[in-house]
Amino acid sequence: MMFTFTGSRGLYKAPLSKSLLLLPTVLTVLLTVLLPQYQDLFIYNLQAVRQGKQFWRLVSGRLICLDLKDTFCSSLLIYNFRIFERRFGSHKFASFLFGAWILSAFVDLLLIEALRVMFDLKVDVLPAGLLGPVFALFVPFYCSIPRVQVTQLLGHVSITNKSLTYIVGAQLLTSSAYMWVVACSGLIAGMLYYSNKLAVQKFLRVPGWAARCGSVLLEPVFSDSEPTAEAPLGMGATLDIQRQQRMDMLDQQLFLSQLAHLRRNAQQQQAQTGLLNWNRFFPTLRHRGQNQHHEGPQPQQPPYMHPPDNTAVAEEQIARLMEMGFSRMDAQEALRASNNDINIATNFLLQH
């Protein structure tokens, strides 16, 4: 049986995200290290836009970061947000970035003018770079990515699968004095585009011909090869711990594969009243790997028997899965087959 893990596929099927990681980073290094005399052309100077009519700075000042820390944080966020390019496709992902980029430029000017009128605060220069669309991506990240608790810190603070992304965003937010202005304009632009207020998605989108040209130019250069099917080794401190981690991952993937096969054949099994617990027929790899301290053939272990399928499913866990957007029937099936392990059930429902 082949085992694949879709959670760590790098930049596979995300050529636009890869280009946004590489090209701005290279240009930032060139401007900060080799060609500092040209940095003035890429400063996001709003005073020059208002008084000097240098409207081209709305383009050049919002493409390349002039701070290496901002480049690093924004690159981490783009890498994490590559999931939207896989989910929606490169064309729709590019349209979101383009629409948020245009909208955030107007919101920047409105916010700066509002600060000047209401608080007599004059802001002439904002942080440069592709920061507005990066902050705008937090809107679909918050709205559409399920929140799954990973652990708890000190027994009170919940650590979820989204915590690290928010921490990196907070680091980027505090990197300069007026970064909060760019962040607010990006979030407002993201909400306007994601909710499609005023039908902005119809007007602010990448044309089909431009998407096809970009596909021809970007995919041969920035496309990644399909990930290998073999799961990576664990990061345990010893070989035994790494072997046990590998067994745990294979055991989880075995469950996911068997449950997916069962769901595909569900319509052909109308007489069946419940979901089969495949662990009754297959010994789990986790128990095969216990007390294994050396390589070589091991004696056959008897199949591990899980609790019967009619085990009560916790309503609280069903409610948590339904809050993520899954149906009650799917939540019940996944929890019953995983013996009320909400992490395994969530992983399966997210991947299928």
Side-chain angles (χ1 to χ4, degrees), residues 4-19:
T4 58
F5 290 86
T6 59
S8 58
R9 300 193 301 177
L11 291 165
Y12 177 60
K13 291 187 177 180
L16 180 58
S17 298
K18 187 174 182 180
S19 64

Side-chain angles (χ1 to χ4, degrees), residues 274-275 277 308-311 313 331-340:
L275 187 66
N277 191 334
D309 291 339
N310 58 2
T311 302
V313 179
Q332 287 177 328
E333 290 180 355
L335 286 170
R336 189 180 296 114
S338 62
N339 294 314
N340 289 327

Side-chain angles (χ1 to χ4, degrees), residues 172-232:
L172 181 60
L173 179 64
T174 57
S175 64
S176 59
Y178 294 108
M179 182 65 76
W180 64 271
V181 177
V182 178
C184 290
S185 63
L187 292 174
I188 293 173
M191 288 186 287
L192 288 174
Y193 197 91
Y194 186 74
S195 61
N196 198 23
K197 296 296 184 182
L198 305 176
V200 293
Q201 294 183 11
K202 181 179 179 180
F203 303 101
L204 298 178
R205 60 190 304 270
V206 176
W209 62 267
R212 290 189 293 270
C213 292
S215 177
V216 172
L217 295 175
L218 294 180
E219 287 190 0
V221 180
F222 296 105
S223 60
D224 271 11
S225 59
E226 187 173 358
T228 58
E230 184 178 359

Side-chain angles (χ1 to χ4, degrees), residues 67-319:
D67 190 305
L68 292 176
K69 299 189 300 295
D70 294 348
T71 302
F72 178 74
C73 291
S74 59
S75 297
L76 287 178
L77 291 173
I78 290 174
Y79 179 80
N80 185 76
F81 293 145
R82 73 198 187 281
I83 184 176
F84 296 116
E85 184 174 4
R86 292 177 183 160
R87 177 179 296 184
F88 304 129
S90 297
H91 186 190
K92 190 173 181 180
F93 182 67
S95 296
F96 180 91
L97 294 178
F98 175 73
W101 188 73
I102 296 294
L103 290 172
S104 60
F106 288 101
V107 179
D108 282 343
L109 297 175
L110 292 176
L111 287 178
I112 294 303
E113 189 65 20
L115 291 175
R116 186 185 67 82
V117 173
M118 298 175 61
F119 304 102
D120 197 23
L121 179 62
K122 187 178 181 180
V123 180
D124 294 331
V125 179
L126 289 177
L130 198 68
L131 300 173
V134 171
F135 282 107
L137 285 168
F138 275 99
V139 176
F141 180 74
Y142 175 82
C143 296
S144 63
I145 301 300
R147 178 179 176 271
V148 180
Q149 180 173 322
V150 177
T151 185
Q152 281 192 336
L153 186 63
L154 301 178
H156 300 284
V157 181
S158 297
I159 304 298
T160 71
N161 57 324
K162 304 168 70 173
S163 298
L164 181 59
T165 303
Y166 290 132
I167 292 173
V168 177
Q171 176 64 36
L172 181 60
L173 179 64
T174 57
S175 64
S176 59
Y178 294 108
M179 182 65 76
W180 64 271
V181 177
V182 178
C184 290
S185 63
L187 292 174
I188 293 173
M191 288 186 287
L192 288 174
Y193 197 91
Y194 186 74
S195 61
N196 198 23
K197 296 296 184 182
L198 305 176
V200 293
Q201 294 183 11
K202 181 179 179 180
F203 303 101
L204 298 178
R205 60 190 304 270
V206 176
W209 62 267
R212 290 189 293 270
C213 292
S215 177
V216 172
L217 295 175
L218 294 180
E219 287 190 0
V221 180
F222 296 105
S223 60
D224 271 11
S225 59
E226 187 173 358
T228 58
E230 184 178 359
L233 281 174
M235 296 301 294
T238 66
L239 183 60
D240 289 337
I241 295 177
Q242 292 179 5
R243 186 183 297 113
Q244 185 63 40
Q245 289 174 340
R246 169 68 68 82
M247 291 296 179
D248 291 340
M249 288 190 297
L250 294 182
D251 187 23
Q252 178 179 343
Q253 190 63 23
L254 178 62
F255 161 74
L256 296 178
S257 176
Q258 292 165 347
L259 186 54
H261 176 74
L262 182 63
R263 292 186 63 175
R264 286 194 299 266
N265 296 322
Q267 294 181 351
Q268 302 175 5
Q269 300 174 350
Q270 298 295 335
Q272 187 174 353
T273 58
L275 187 66
L276 287 177
N277 191 334
W278 285 87
N279 290 319
R280 290 181 176 181
F281 306 102
F282 296 93
T284 60
L285 294 172
R286 180 182 295 108
H287 288 83
R288 295 183 203 171
Q290 289 181 349
N291 301 324
Q292 182 179 359
H293 299 287
H294 63 276
E295 301 294 338
Q298 298 293 328
Q300 181 67 31
Q301 298 290 336
Y304 178 75
M305 301 299 292
H306 284 279
D309 291 339
N310 58 2
T311 302
V313 179
E315 287 295 330
E316 180 182 357
Q317 294 180 338
I318 295 177

